[in-house]
Amino acid sequence: MKNLVAFPVLGLVFILQMAILSRMTLLSGTVDLVLLVIVSWSLQEQVESSWHWAGLAGLLAGFTSGLPPYAPLLGYLLTVGMARLLLQQIWQAPILALFSVTFFATLLTHLVTFVGLFISGTLLPVGDVLSLITLPSVFLNLLFILPVHAVIRDLALWVYPVEELV
């Protein structure tokens, strides 16, 4: 039952991403709100369904975007794997883990997207992709991760309440 909350949340996130945030660009980079939600959800210790969220988000992104369908799915699943691994290793500094995972997940998803487009026959200059798309996207994702994390942390505490010790 707790996994069903992913459908309305990710549906709303995709609507916001496609309708509003995709129009807000810095050079050619945009905020990837779906990635930020996946990162924030994966870094919550009590959450058990982060793999499900990544799979659903990857399928939705593969269906709604012009990318090869496997690229967003692979990127989001690798992001969750990185976040869960980092959560086990750096549990003392959650803000460091949040910014680190956001930085590397953005680079990783852009790399997977670039390789997927290369395999499908779209040739893009690497220098232009890095300077005009990837670096501005990293900056915007790092700028937006704190408010997204605050909302997702509250959602995670609502879905997975922490029992109080008396």
Side-chain angles (χ1 to χ4, degrees):
M1 192 67 173
K2 294 179 180 183
N3 292 337
L4 294 179
V5 75
F7 289 100
V9 170
L10 287 176
L12 178 65
V13 166
F14 269 97
I15 290 171
L16 287 172
Q17 175 73 35
M18 290 185 299
I20 298 170
L21 294 176
S22 65
R23 309 290 190 263
M24 296 172 39
T25 61
L26 177 64
L27 297 176
S28 292
T30 60
V31 177
D32 190 354
L33 186 63
V34 178
L35 178 71
L36 299 181
V37 167
I38 295 297
V39 166
S40 296
W41 188 257
S42 300
L43 287 175
Q44 304 301 317
E45 291 182 33
Q46 70 272 21
V47 167
E48 302 163 354
S49 61
S50 56
W51 293 102
H52 302 117
W53 281 55
L56 179 62
L59 291 174
L60 285 172
F63 179 72
T64 59
S65 70
L67 296 174
Y70 57 86
L73 180 63
L74 181 62
Y76 292 151
L77 289 175
L78 288 173
T79 296
V80 169
M82 180 175 38
R84 297 308 279 185
L85 181 68
L86 205 59
L87 184 64
Q88 294 171 357
Q89 302 297 324
I90 308 178
W91 60 274
Q92 292 285 340
I95 195 75
L96 176 64
L98 180 67
F99 284 117
S100 299
V101 171
T102 302
F103 178 79
F104 289 114
T106 304
L107 294 177
L108 183 68
T109 55
H110 280 239
L111 177 67
V112 168
T113 302
F114 181 78
V115 169
L117 289 173
F118 180 77
I119 290 172
S120 68
T122 304
L123 300 176
L124 299 170
V126 177
D128 289 346
V129 169
L130 282 175
S131 63
L132 296 175
I133 300 171
T134 302
L135 292 179
S137 294
V138 166
F139 175 73
L140 289 172
N141 284 347
L142 289 174
L143 190 66
F144 277 78
I145 189 62
L146 285 178
V148 169
H149 181 67
V151 171
I152 295 300
R153 184 187 64 231
D154 289 344
L155 178 68
L157 289 174
W158 178 69
V159 174
Y160 297 95
V162 177
E163 297 179 13
E164 295 182 16
L165 298 175
V166 177

